[in-house]
C-alpha cells in the first residue's frame, strides 16, 4: 500500500494539488483512491470520457474549467476503471454543446457536486446564445443505465430571434416562418431522460415582451405583448432519429394584446395542442373592439386550416368604429355575428376562405362618415335636389335600421344587403370589399323621401307624371370605389342597377320607385 499526502500534479492541462493518494499495487487488479484533491480540471480533455464512459451520448463537445474544491475517486488500474467518483466544484467559462440545443450552453458560477452517480447543481448562471438563464436547481442521475435530468426554479430571458429557426426545424413547425422578441422565463421545471433526449414532464411560466410571429397562415406577422405562456404539465418532448424533437401534450397561453394588420385583440387566452396530426392553436377568448372572438388554427403536413367566429350583441358603435381604425362617428348599439374558415399553404384567408357576416344596428345617428358626406354632397349639386340636403354633422343623420349582410370568400366580403333605413332617406347597396386592402367596389341607391315635391319642376324632362298622391319615390344610383376611408363617388345610369339591388330598395321602401339618371350642373 502506497500513501501519499500533499499531492500536486498535472493531468494534461488539468492541475491538481493538496490531495491524498492511496495505491494498492498487490494482487491481480491494482487499485487507486484519491481524496481531498483540489485544483483546476480542464473539461475539454474529458469530452470523450464523458460521452463514452459516463454515457452522455448526445454530448458534442465540452470546454472550460471546473474549479475543484474537493474530489474523491476510487478506481482500478490496468486498465483504468473509475468505480466511484465524487466532487464539489464551481464551473468557469464552461461551454457544453448538446445535440438537442441550437447553441452551446455557457455556464458560470454556482455550485456543482457529484455524489453516488448523481450530479447536482444550484445557483448556476448560463447563456444559450444571447438568452440568459439563472437560479436553476438540477440533478443529472447516471443510475439505472440511462441518464436522467431534472431541473427546477430556472429563470431567465429567452431571445427568440436566435432560436426561431431551431424551433421550426426541431419541432417540425412548418407553419412558423420566423419569431422575434423576448420571453421572460420564470420557474421552469423539467424532467427528462437522455440517450435519446426525452422530456417526460415540463412546466413553466413565461411572459412575452414584444414578440412578432411570422407564420404561413398570413403574410403579415402577428404581434404579442404582455400576458403569459403557461405550461402546467402534460407536455412531452421526444428526440427522433433525425435530430428533431416531437412534442405532444398541451400548454396554455395568454396575451394582454395581439396585433395583426390594423386590428388589436385584448385579454386573449388559449391552448396550444401538440398532436399526431400537427399543432393546433385554440383561441378560447379574445376581445376585438368589444367583439368576442373564438377559433382555432391547425397546422398539418401540407396546409394550415383555421376557423374563427366573431360575435357581439350590445356593443357601442361610437367606441368600436375608431377602435377598428375607421374614420367615422356613429352612435348606436350594434349586433355582429360573423364566421370564417380557411385552408391553404401560404395565405389561407386569401387562398381558400369562406364565411358570413351579419351586422345590425337600430335607432342610431351618423354624425361623421366620409361615404355619406360625399353622397349627400353630390345630391346637393344634382339639378333635381340642389341645396336640399343640410350638413348632418350637427344634428346627425338619424336611422331606424342599419344592416349589412354578406358572404366572405377569399378575403373579400361580398355584400348582398346593405341598408340604412332612415326617416329622411333610404339607402341600399351591394358589392364587395377587399378585407385585406380595405378597397370597396359598391353600387349604392339613395332614395330621399321628399323627392316628389322636389322634382315637380323637372317632370317634363323626365317624361313621367308624378304626384304627391301617387307615392312614387325617386332613387339615384352611385358607384363607390376605392379605400374605405377615402372612396370615390360617381353617378351611374339606371341601367347599372341589377335586379337584386332593385328588389332590395323596393322591400325597404315598400312603395313604387323610379330610378333616374343624375343630371350634374354644367361646368
Amino acid at each position: 500500500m502506497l500513501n501519499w499526502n500533499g499531492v500536486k500534479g498535472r493531468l494534461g492541462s488539468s492541475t491538481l494539488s493538496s490531495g491524498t493518494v492511496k495505491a494498492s499495487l498487490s494482487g491481480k487488479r491494482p487499485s487507486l483512491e484519491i481524496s481531498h484533491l483540489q485544483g483546476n480540471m480542464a473539461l475539454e480533455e474529458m469530452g470523450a470520457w464523458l460521452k463514452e464512459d459516463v454515457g452522455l451520448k448526445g454530448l458534442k463537445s465540452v470546454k472550460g474549467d471546473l474549479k475543484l474544491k474537493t474530489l474523491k475517486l476510487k478506481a482500478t488500474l490496468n486498465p483504468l476503471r473509475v468505480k466511484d467518483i465524487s466532487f464539489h466544484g464551481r464551473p468557469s467559462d464552461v461551454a457544453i454543446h448538446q445535440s438537442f440545443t441550437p447553441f452551446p450552453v455557457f455556464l458560470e458560477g454556482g455550485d456543482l457536486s457529484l455524489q453516488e452517480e448523481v450530479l447536482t447543481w444550484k445557483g448556476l448562471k448560463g447563456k444559450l446564445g444571447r438568452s440568459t438563464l439563472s437560479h436553476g436547481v438540477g440533478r443529472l442521475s447516471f443510475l439505472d443505465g440511462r441518464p436522467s435530468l431534472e431541473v427546477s426554479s430556472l429563470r431567465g430571458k429567452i431571445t427568440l430571434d436566435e432560436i426561431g429557426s431551431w424551433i421550426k426545424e426541431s419541432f417540425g413547425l412548418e407553419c412558423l416562418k420566423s419569431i422575434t422578441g423576448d420571453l421572460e422565463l420564470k420557474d421552469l421545471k423539467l424532467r427528462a431522460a437522455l440517450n435519446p433526449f426525452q422530456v417526460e414532464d415540463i412546466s413553466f411560466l413565461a411572459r412575452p415582451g414584444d414578440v412578432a410571429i411570422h407564420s404561413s397562415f398570413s403574410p403579415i406577422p402577428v404581434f404579442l405583448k404582455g400576458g403569459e405562456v403557461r405550461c402546467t404539465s402534460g407536455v412531452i418532448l421526444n428526440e427522433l432519429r433525425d435530430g428533431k424533437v416531437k412534442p405532444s401534450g398541451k400548454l396554455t397561453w395568454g396575451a394582454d394584446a395581439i396585433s395583426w394588420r390594423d386590428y388589436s385583440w385584448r385579454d386573449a387566452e388559449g391552448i396550444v395542442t401538440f398532436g399526431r396530426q400537427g399543432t393546433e392553436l385554440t383561441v378560447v377568448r379574445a376581445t376585438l373592439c368589444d367583439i368576442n372572438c373564438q377559433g382555432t388554427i391547425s397546422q398539418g403536413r401540407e396546409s394550415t386550416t383555421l376557423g374563427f367566429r366573431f360575435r357581439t350583441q350590445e356593443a357601442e358603435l361610437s367606441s368600436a368604429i375608431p377602435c377598428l381604425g375607421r374614420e367615422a362617428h356613429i352612435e348606436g348599439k350594434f349586433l355582429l355575428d360573423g364566421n370564417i374558415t380557411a385552408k391553404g399553404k401560404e395565405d389561407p384567408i386569401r387562398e381558400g376562405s369562406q364565411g358570413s357576416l351579419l351586422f345590425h344596428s337600430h335607432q342610431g345617428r351618423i354624425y361623421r362618415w366620409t361615404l355619406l358626406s360625399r353622397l349627400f354632397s353630390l345630391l346637393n349639386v344634382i339639378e333635381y335636389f340642389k341645396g336640399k340636403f343640410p350638413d348632418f354633422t350637427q344634428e346627425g343623420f338619424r336611422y331606424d335600421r342599419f344592416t349589412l349582410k354578406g358572404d366572405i370568400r377569399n378575403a373579400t366580403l361580398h355584400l348582398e344587403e346593405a341598408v340604412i333605413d332612415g326617416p329622411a332617406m333610404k339607402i341600399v347597396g351591394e358589392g364587395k370589399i377587399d378585407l385585406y386592402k380595405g378597397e370597396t367596389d359598391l353600387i349604392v341607391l339613395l332614395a330621399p323621401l321628399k323627392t316628389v315635391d322636389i322634382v315637380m319642376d323637372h317632370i317634363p324632362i323626365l317624361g313621367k307624371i308624378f304626384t304627391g298622391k301617387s307615392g312614387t319615390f325617386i332613387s339615384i344610383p352611385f358607384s363607390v370605389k376605392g379605400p374605405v376611408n377615402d372612396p370615390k363617388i360617381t353617378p351611374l345610369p339606371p341601367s347599372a342597377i341589377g335586379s337584386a339591388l332593385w328588389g332590395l330598395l323596393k322591400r325597404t321602401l315598400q312603395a313604387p320607385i323610379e330610378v333616374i339618371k343624375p343630371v350634374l350642373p354644367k361646368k
Side-chain angles (χ1 to χ4, degrees), residues 338-411:
N339 66 83
I340 184 170
T341 60
K343 185 175 183 179
K345 294 188 69 175
E346 294 297 326
D347 188 354
I349 295 178
R350 178 67 78 185
E351 294 171 26
S353 62
Q354 59 183 3
S356 62
L357 177 72
L358 173 62
F359 165 89
H360 181 74
S361 177
H362 57 89
Q363 304 302 321
R365 282 185 181 271
I366 302 172
Y367 290 94
R368 186 181 74 255
W369 188 10
T370 301
L371 172 60
L372 209 60
S373 298
R374 292 182 180 179
L375 286 170
F376 284 8
S377 295
L378 271 177
L379 282 180
N380 271 324
V381 298
I382 291 174
E383 290 295 328
Y384 314 126
F385 313 107
K386 187 177 294 184
K388 301 296 181 180
F389 296 95
D391 182 4
F392 65 86
T393 58
Q394 300 300 318
E395 297 182 2
F397 175 80
R398 185 168 71 85
Y399 63 82
D400 300 315
R401 177 170 67 98
F402 184 178
T403 300
L404 300 174
K405 183 179 179 181
D407 293 329
I408 299 171
R409 298 192 296 274
N410 300 341

Side-chain angles (χ1 to χ4, degrees), residues 177 215-217 301-304 343-348 351:
K177 291 185 176 180
S215 66
S216 62
F217 62 82
R301 295 180 180 178
E302 301 295 332
S303 61
T304 300
K343 185 175 183 179
K345 294 188 69 175
E346 294 297 326
D347 188 354
E351 294 171 26

